[in-house]
Amino acid sequence: NNPFKHLKVRIAVNHAINRAGIAKNLVGGQSRPVFSACYPSQFGCEQNVTQYAYDPALAKKLLAEAGYPNGFETTLFAYRNRPFAEALVGDLAAVGIKAKLSMMKYSALREKQRAGKTPMEFLTWGSYSINDVSAIVSHFFEWEADDMARDAQVRDWLVEADATIDIEKRKALYSKALKRISEMAYWAPMFTYVSNNVFAADLE
């Protein structure tokens, strides 16, 4: 009886999140909202995907259509950036999703996640600094331990893309996978992180 099995619920979550507000007011710097399940500069990171605009009213409507007119209760698990996670809790509460925040060490969270005990998570991913989409989307959607969606079509596209050196073929296959991930709202991609570095001879 997991609400997130309903596509309209997952889409509602995407519409409930004020990505731009979090990026501007909490992350700061050059942080920008993202809608595809990858970092924009990564090879193969298709940007022409379904984008869910911040629309709390639409989120409420979709929840009602999914059978949750009064929303529901859940738990949001996170391991870092409490202010960001708290902003998510606030955005979700505004549309009726009452999410209790549970902060824990990443190792403990990963263990619970892989055991199927985390209905909703706020996670981050640096792709090991590899500027190729395979370093993120293939990790999370090829039916390995961290794949919560288990979409056979997405998996097959990614496996084929990972196994070829044909640039155009890779782009086409990753594009298909990323578009379906977005259409099915398996994730709610949010924003880019920012790393600020200062260099000055007189800096202490």
Side-chain angles (χ1 to χ4, degrees), residues 7-157:
L7 174 59
K8 287 187 176 181
V9 169
R10 300 197 302 272
I11 292 177
V13 167
N14 271 270
H15 281 301
I17 296 171
N18 186 357
R19 295 167 174 79
I22 295 174
K24 179 181 178 181
N25 300 312
L26 294 180
V27 187
Q30 295 298 309
S31 177
R32 295 290 183 269
V34 292
F35 297 92
S36 193
C38 47
Y39 189 79
S41 71
Q42 287 181 312
F43 172 87
C45 186
E46 175 65 73
Q47 297 298 299
N48 184 25
V49 300
T50 303
Q51 297 193 9
Y52 301 102
Y54 176 50
D55 191 337
L58 179 55
K60 289 180 181 180
K61 179 175 180 291
L62 289 166
L63 287 173
E65 291 175 358
Y68 300 94
N70 301 313
F72 56 87
E73 295 183 359
T74 189
T75 301
L76 173 66
F77 288 86
Y79 73 100
R80 62 179 291 188
N81 302 122
R82 177 182 281 272
F84 304 171
E86 289 176 343
L88 292 176
V89 169
D91 284 345
L92 294 170
V95 302
I97 301 175
K98 297 168 281 293
K100 181 180 75 174
L101 179 59
S102 178
M103 299 289 299
M104 57 177 57
K105 296 283 189 180
Y106 176 65
S107 57
L109 172 53
R110 182 178 59 192
E111 185 176 334
K112 286 182 71 71
Q113 171 197 343
R114 292 179 175 179
K117 297 179 180 179
T118 56
M120 194 177 204
E121 308 156 7
F122 167 53
L123 301 176
T124 65
W125 191 253
S127 298
Y128 309 106
S129 297
I130 298 172
N131 207 31
D132 188 285
V133 75
S134 63
I136 180 169
V137 73
S138 298
H139 176 89
F140 287 100
F141 289 95
E142 284 190 2
W143 288 37
E144 299 297 332
D146 293 328
D147 184 354
M148 299 294 104
R150 302 281 163 160
D151 185 315
Q153 180 63 83
V154 171
R155 177 201 59 195
D156 292 348
W157 282 329

